[in-house]
Structure formats: structure tokens, C-alpha cells
């Protein structure tokens, strides 16, 4: 397994798989929250391949070089499987963690923690917003060193909480 940032070509080549994992992950969160008003459940391939998104993925590389395929761009695609991803977007205040997705087949194996750890190695402020009704997500962020910043009430009356992580000063 390798955790690394995917190129735009890799995101495009694996967009269907990334979208499948994203929908599966957010279906579980929807069950936890008791509603399906999660925008990521309804995204399309075009949404997830939008410019400005940085995909850091936990991938299994091809073990057998004969199974490596060449994509439309002529680049070599060495990804056999994507186990999960953290998606980042640059904001003025740092990097916004737009989503952390893990294939349900790989839950509780440290995939999300490894992805967040890799994002933290970028040494930029990270922030994320999650529902107060998402104990697994809150626990994951707190375990990774994120601190609660503020609560925000949505139009529907639910409460979202912002968490932030700051790199240690050198």
C-alpha cells in the first residue's frame, strides 16, 4: 500500500472508482446522521475531477508489471486498487479537508488515519467541517490532533463543527 497524491490524470482514470468509494462512505455517514442531505452523495464524475481538488489516496500498486495499463494520456497506470482518499482544497486559511473517504471493505484498518497523517505532512494548516452528530468523524479528527474551532448552524437547523490542525512550529 502507498499513500500519495494522485495526478489529475490518475483521478480522471479512476474517477468511477473514487466516486463509488465516496458514495459508499457517505451512505454510512448518512445512516449515522439519520438523513441523506450530504452533498457528496450526489456528486458526479465531473464534480470529483474538478480543478483545484487535491486527491491523496491510499492505493495498492500493481504487483505484476504485466497488468500495468497505459491510459489515454500515454502515462503508465500503476494503481490496482484505491482503498481510500482525503481530498483537499486550497483556501486562504490553509487546506480545507473536503472529504475523507474509505472503501467500506477497508474500514477500521487505519486507512483514514494514514491519509490524514499524509495530509499533515504537507505542513499547512488543515481545517474540516463535520456534523456534531458524527462521532466516528469527530473521534478521527480529534485523534489526529484537530481542535474544535467553532459551531455553525445550517439552514436545516443541524449543527456543523469546524476543526483545525496546525503544524508544529519548527
Amino acid at each position: 500500500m502507498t499513500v500519495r497524491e494522485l495526478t489529475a490524470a490518475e483521478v480522471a482514470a479512476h474517477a468511477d472508482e473514487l466516486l463509488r468509494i465516496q458514495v459508499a462512505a457517505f451512505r454510512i455517514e448518512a445512516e449515522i446522521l439519520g438523513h441523506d442531505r450530504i452533498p457528496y452523495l450526489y456528486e458526479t464524475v465531473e464534480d470529483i475531477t474538478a480543478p483545484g481538488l487535491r486527491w491523496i489516496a491510499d492505493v495498492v500498486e500493481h504487483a505484476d508489471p504485466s497488468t500495468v495499463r497505459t491510459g489515454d494520456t500515454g502515462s503508465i497506470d500503476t494503481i490496482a486498487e484505491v482503498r481510500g482518499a482525503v481530498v483537499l482544497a486550497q483556501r486562504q486559511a490553509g487546506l480545507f479537508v473536503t472529504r475523507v473517504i474509505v472503501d467500506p471493505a477497508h474500514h477500521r484498518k487505519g486507512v483514514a488515519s494514514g491519509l490524514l497523517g499524509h495530509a499533515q505532512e504537507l505542513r499547512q494548516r488543515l481545517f474540516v467541517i463535520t456534523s456534531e452528530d458524527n462521532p466516528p468523524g469527530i473521534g478521527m479528527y480529534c485523534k489526529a490532533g484537530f481542535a474544535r474551532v467553532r459551531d455553525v448552524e445550517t439552514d436545516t437547523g443541524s449543527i456543523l463543527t469546524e476543526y483545525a490542525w496546525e503544524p508544529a512550529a519548527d
Side-chain angles (χ1 to χ4, degrees):
M1 271 61 76
T2 304
V3 175
R4 63 179 176 79
E5 188 162 349
L6 301 181
T7 65
E10 288 174 319
V11 173
H14 295 277
D16 289 335
E17 181 180 10
L18 293 168
L19 187 59
R20 178 195 61 78
I21 293 168
Q22 175 173 301
V23 170
F26 282 105
R27 277 193 186 129
I28 292 169
E29 186 168 332
E31 289 175 21
I32 292 167
L33 298 176
H35 67 78
D36 63 356
R37 296 182 311 271
I38 302 171
Y40 300 123
L41 279 171
Y42 306 101
E43 285 194 328
T44 64
V45 166
E46 290 76 23
D47 294 323
I48 69 169
T49 57
L53 295 179
R54 294 175 66 180
W55 286 80
I56 296 173
D58 182 325
V59 298
V60 177
E61 305 277 336
H62 285 277
D64 178 359
S66 68
T67 63
V68 174
R69 61 183 178 196
T70 302
D72 295 328
T73 62
S75 62
I76 303 286
D77 183 0
T78 61
I79 298 172
E81 175 189 17
V82 177
R83 296 179 353 136
V86 61
V87 184
L88 307 170
Q90 188 69 51
R91 299 287 191 265
Q92 208 168 13
L95 292 172
F96 177 58
V97 178
T98 68
R99 64 208 93 164
V100 177
I101 59 172
V102 176
D103 189 318
H106 297 288
H107 277 190
R108 316 237 10 111
K109 296 180 182 176
V111 174
S113 297
L115 291 164
L116 282 174
H118 193 86
Q120 289 169 322
E121 289 173 12
L122 298 173
R123 312 275 308 140
Q124 294 186 50
R125 179 178 194 262
L126 299 174
F127 60 102
V128 65
I129 296 174
T130 192
S131 172
E132 71 172 357
D133 297 325
N134 182 8
I138 292 168
M140 173 184 67
Y141 294 119
C142 290
K143 184 178 175 183
F146 283 70
R148 184 182 191 147
V149 175
R150 65 187 174 108
D151 291 335
V152 179
E153 187 171 349
T154 68
D155 301 352
T156 62
S158 63
I159 303 294
L160 299 178
T161 304
E162 180 180 341
Y163 291 85
W165 175 85
E166 302 283 344
D170 291 332

